[in-house]
Amino acid sequence: MNYQYVVQRLLLALVVVLGITFVVFMIMQIVPGDPARVILGPYASDESVAGLRDRLGLDRPFFEQYLTWLSKAARGDFGQSLLNGQEVAPQLHGRIGPSFELAIVSLVIGLVIAFPIGIISALKPGSAIDIIATVFSQIGVSIPSFWMGILLIIVFSLNLELLPPSGYTPIWEDAGDWLAHIVLPAFTAGFVSASIQTRFIRSAMLDVLNANYVQTARAKGLNERTVIMRHALRNALINIVTIIGLQITALFSGIVIVEVVFSWPGLGRLAFNAVEERDYPLLQGAVMVVAILVTLVNLFVDLLYFLLDPRIEYA
Amino acid sequence: MFGAFVLLIVVVMGLFGPAITPYDPNGMDFSDRFANPSFEHWMGTDDFGRDIFSRVVVGARVSLQVGFIAVTVATVVGAWLGLIAGYSTRLTDEVIMRAMDVLYAFPAILLAIAIMAALGKGIGNAMIAIGIVYIPIFARIARGAVLGIRNEEFIIAARAMGAGDIRILLTHILPNVLSPIIVEITLSLAFAILAEAALSFFGLGTQPPDPSWGRMLAEGRAFFRQSGWMGVFPGLAIFFTVMGFNFLGDGLRDALDPKLRR
């Protein structure tokens, strides 16, 4: 096995994580004017502005600020929230679970929709179902997820009164209630991701269906089901896993929006609240945790790709 | 053709918006709030009694403006970085592309929100934020295209004739990598319009009372118990515009690179 690929991929992930910390640190540095004044507002006294500047270390040299911030962040210390004075880290900790639950359920919903549609439309290109799949895919990539969320709330929560419009119940407290709350936000994020995945699954399947080994399998007299499941799909999976990996970042982008629309208590909503309140330490913590989570998931997918196809090399 | 037709309508709305609306888009009429669609008000009225149709028409300008400027920022910076990365030494390539990997690691909307939190609310900053978010996409596409042709004979010949790096990049490489960049510009316009709508929906982009489709959706969300219509038409406007750009992008890709047609 080519373990050089694994080592290089791990090193790349480390570089990206270090870069993420720099970008996140820069959020407060690019605030026009004095960040302390911006945070406290135009009516704050000079003493309180100076106090906050000192507390945030804004009057120290740039790299000293970054290294201090980085060494604290590496230990999970993102400072204190400017709004409520509480430590940022425990607030982030409570939000990771709900965001991850939403991401996983959305991904599963997306794949459950995308796989059958993608495969069937690849098997019958140009057919009615292929055209329907193309239209579905166009709708999915064009519809604003926040609008779709609002429409679903109007239909399923306000009119039909079937599902709650917002909120969250931990799964260990009441699984049924958790499910009722997650259906609409997960479907909203999953639908958009399904439409993109459908295209890629169709494309990957079309590639392998035209390959010689699939023709050979058919010529051997294998039934169509075996040809598709054992020969075509297994080979198409390598490309599909890569695409799912690339989609993870987009999925999390959708989830940030969906969390705000459905008041889902995840990292995206926390980041949004932090922006509203100009709570920079909280925003930095939330953005960094999401970016690192996305990087780790991408790393996992890349390593999975390596297991599926050991011929892969780092380019 | 569908994409081009939809976009033609949106561009006309964007260019001539205030001149073709039946009402002043910011004109309030408190005696006629939350009106349903009628002959008088084709898309109904909002919580201030403003004509939703007029606001949707004028809102097209904001979406197009933000979309075009943000994508221009992303294209100019991203494509230039990609050209340099693909053409220069391994070290420069590594530095540029790893920086792009870092930007790409952030979910697009989250990075845009974070940039706007630092720069402040407003449509100008929304353009910058969205532009920065899409830089890595253009850098990757341009770099990939350059790598494909950097060792072609016509490049080697140009170098042998004494052409400098800048000249080779601008007159020999750029024209040959334009196709994928043009396709990406069209597709990115769709995403940029969605991103602007999302930022305005969150209250970070266009500020009241100026109409923008995302902002109108946010207002519609606050009043959907009183009037479902407020949130329907701006959403449809975003949906069809984004779909128009997607169709146009797909069509251009098929026309410019038939190998990708499926």
Side-chain angles (χ1 to χ4, degrees):
Chain A
M1 280 181 132
N2 183 7
Y3 286 102
Q4 198 189 350
Y5 166 78
V6 178
V7 173
Q8 281 175 321
R9 189 61 192 81
L10 285 171
L11 281 175
L12 174 64
L14 203 66
V15 170
V16 169
V17 168
L18 202 63
I20 287 170
T21 63
F22 188 72
V23 172
V24 169
F25 171 74
M26 287 300 290
I27 290 174
M28 211 189 305
Q29 301 296 317
I30 59 170
V31 173
D34 181 357
R37 172 66 69 187
V38 171
I39 291 164
L40 292 175
Y43 304 111
S45 68
D46 289 345
E47 288 78 25
S48 51
V49 171
L52 182 62
R53 203 182 297 132
D54 184 52
R55 198 179 117 202
L56 295 173
L58 294 170
D59 37 14
R60 280 179 279 158
F62 177 82
F63 277 105
E64 189 188 327
Q65 282 185 53
Y66 173 58
L67 291 176
T68 310
W69 182 85
L70 182 63
S71 70
K72 283 184 175 175
R75 285 174 274 145
D77 177 5
F78 293 103
Q80 293 162 332
S81 161
L82 297 176
L83 192 66
N84 55 27
Q86 292 174 354
E87 290 290 327
V88 167
Q91 296 185 61
L92 297 174
H93 192 255
R95 303 292 188 120
I96 294 174
S99 278
F100 228 77
E101 289 163 20
L102 187 55
I104 290 170
V105 179
S106 305
L107 187 65
V108 170
I109 289 177
L111 292 175
V112 166
I113 297 172
F115 257 97
I117 298 179
I119 292 172
I120 295 170
S121 61
L123 288 174
K124 293 175 182 172
S127 66
I129 192 154
D130 189 29
I131 293 165
I132 293 169
T134 309
V135 172
F136 157 78
S137 171
Q138 278 296 347
I139 291 173
V141 292
S142 306
I143 198 165
S145 51
F146 46 93
W147 184 54
M148 185 175 162
I150 292 172
L151 294 180
L152 289 176
I153 290 173
I154 291 175
V155 174
F156 290 98
S157 303
L158 297 182
N159 291 341
L160 300 175
E161 296 182 358
L162 285 175
L163 295 162
S166 60
Y168 170 78
T169 304
I171 192 168
W172 58 89
E173 279 182 18
D174 185 342
D177 208 37
W178 171 83
L179 191 64
H181 279 98
I182 206 168
V183 169
L184 291 183
F187 183 77
T188 308
F191 180 80
V192 175
S193 122
S195 58
I196 303 166
Q197 283 161 5
T198 303
R199 284 182 173 196
F200 288 117
I201 291 171
R202 178 181 180 275
S203 177
M205 280 298 284
L206 274 176
D207 273 340
V208 293
L209 282 172
N210 291 326
N212 287 339
Y213 56 84
V214 172
Q215 307 292 343
T216 309
R218 282 199 179 116
K220 280 197 308 186
L222 292 180
N223 66 45
E224 194 62 16
R225 186 187 166 86
T226 313
V227 172
I228 291 161
M229 299 307 285
R230 286 194 48 191
H231 294 268
L233 188 58
R234 277 177 73 166
N235 281 289
L237 264 182
I238 296 166
N239 287 334
I240 293 168
V241 166
T242 317
I243 297 306
I244 292 171
L246 290 172
Q247 281 300 303
I248 294 293
T249 320
L251 179 71
F252 270 88
S253 196
I255 280 172
V256 170
I257 295 171
V258 165
E259 281 186 359
V260 178
V261 173
F262 289 93
S263 301
W264 187 263
L267 289 163
R269 183 156 166 251
L270 186 74
F272 175 71
N273 291 345
V275 171
E276 290 272 280
E277 306 295 342
R278 287 193 177 268
D279 193 341
Y280 290 108
L282 193 60
L283 175 67
Q284 286 176 312
V287 173
M288 189 152 127
V289 169
V290 173
I292 289 177
L293 275 178
V294 169
T295 306
L296 291 178
V297 174
N298 272 325
L299 175 67
F300 172 75
V301 172
D302 273 5
L303 296 180
L304 190 68
Y305 184 33
F306 172 67
L307 286 177
L308 284 172
D309 186 359
R311 292 167 302 177
I312 179 133
E313 285 183 16
Y314 184 83
Chain B
M1 282 305 287
F2 172 77
F5 177 70
V6 170
L7 292 180
L8 184 70
I9 295 174
V10 177
V11 169
V12 169
M13 281 161 59
L15 287 177
F16 305 106
I20 57 174
T21 55
Y23 295 91
D24 172 5
N26 290 328
M28 302 182 202
D29 180 2
F30 286 96
S31 64
D32 200 11
R33 300 167 71 212
F34 304 119
N36 284 333
S38 62
F39 282 115
E40 207 177 335
H41 297 286
W42 295 352
M43 296 181 180
T45 61
D46 68 4
D47 52 316
F48 287 105
R50 296 173 296 196
D51 181 52
I52 294 177
F53 174 71
S54 302
R55 290 177 70 74
V56 166
V57 170
V58 174
R61 181 174 292 186
V62 174
S63 286
L64 291 179
Q65 215 175 16
V66 176
F68 278 111
I69 294 177
V71 172
T72 303
V73 170
T75 311
V76 171
V77 180
W80 189 239
L81 285 173
L83 287 175
I84 294 171
Y87 187 72
S88 52
T89 60
R90 176 103 196 239
L91 180 68
T92 314
D93 181 27
E94 280 291 321
V95 170
I96 292 176
M97 295 322 290
R98 293 305 72 82
M100 296 300 105
D101 285 346
V102 170
L103 281 183
Y104 211 66
F106 292 90
I109 282 294
L110 192 62
L111 183 58
I113 288 175
I115 295 169
M116 297 223 44
L119 299 179
K121 297 175 182 178
I123 197 166
N125 289 338
M127 295 173 191
I128 296 172
I130 298 168
I132 292 173
V133 166
Y134 289 108
I135 285 174
I137 297 174
F138 284 95
R140 284 183 176 191
I141 288 172
R143 175 183 177 266
V146 173
L147 287 179
I149 62 161
R150 59 177 286 182
N151 292 322
E152 292 283 331
E153 283 175 355
F154 66 94
I155 305 286
I156 298 167
R159 200 175 296 132
M161 288 169 73
D165 288 342
I166 302 281
R167 186 182 165 82
I168 290 175
L169 274 175
L170 290 178
T171 60
H172 297 283
I173 291 184
L174 186 62
N176 281 289
V177 300
L178 268 183
S179 300
I181 294 176
I182 290 170
V183 172
E184 189 53 44
I185 286 173
T186 322
L187 294 172
S188 290
L189 277 168
F191 286 112
I193 286 170
L194 274 179
E196 183 280 326
L199 290 177
S200 293
F201 178 77
F202 289 150
L204 299 171
T206 314
Q207 298 300 303
D210 293 336
S212 107
W213 294 337
R215 175 109 216 136
M216 290 169 75
L217 272 184
E219 290 161 0
R221 181 188 174 214
F223 293 103
F224 59 43
R225 282 173 199 276
Q226 286 93 330
S227 167
W229 297 111
M230 273 179 72
V232 170
F233 293 110
L236 282 174
I238 301 170
F239 174 67
F240 279 113
T241 308
V242 172
M243 193 181 247
F245 277 114
N246 278 328
F247 271 124
L248 192 67
D250 287 349
L252 278 176
R253 183 166 45 199
D254 287 348
L256 295 172
D257 190 353
K259 280 178 290 182
L260 292 172
R261 193 184 308 199
R262 282 263 182 251

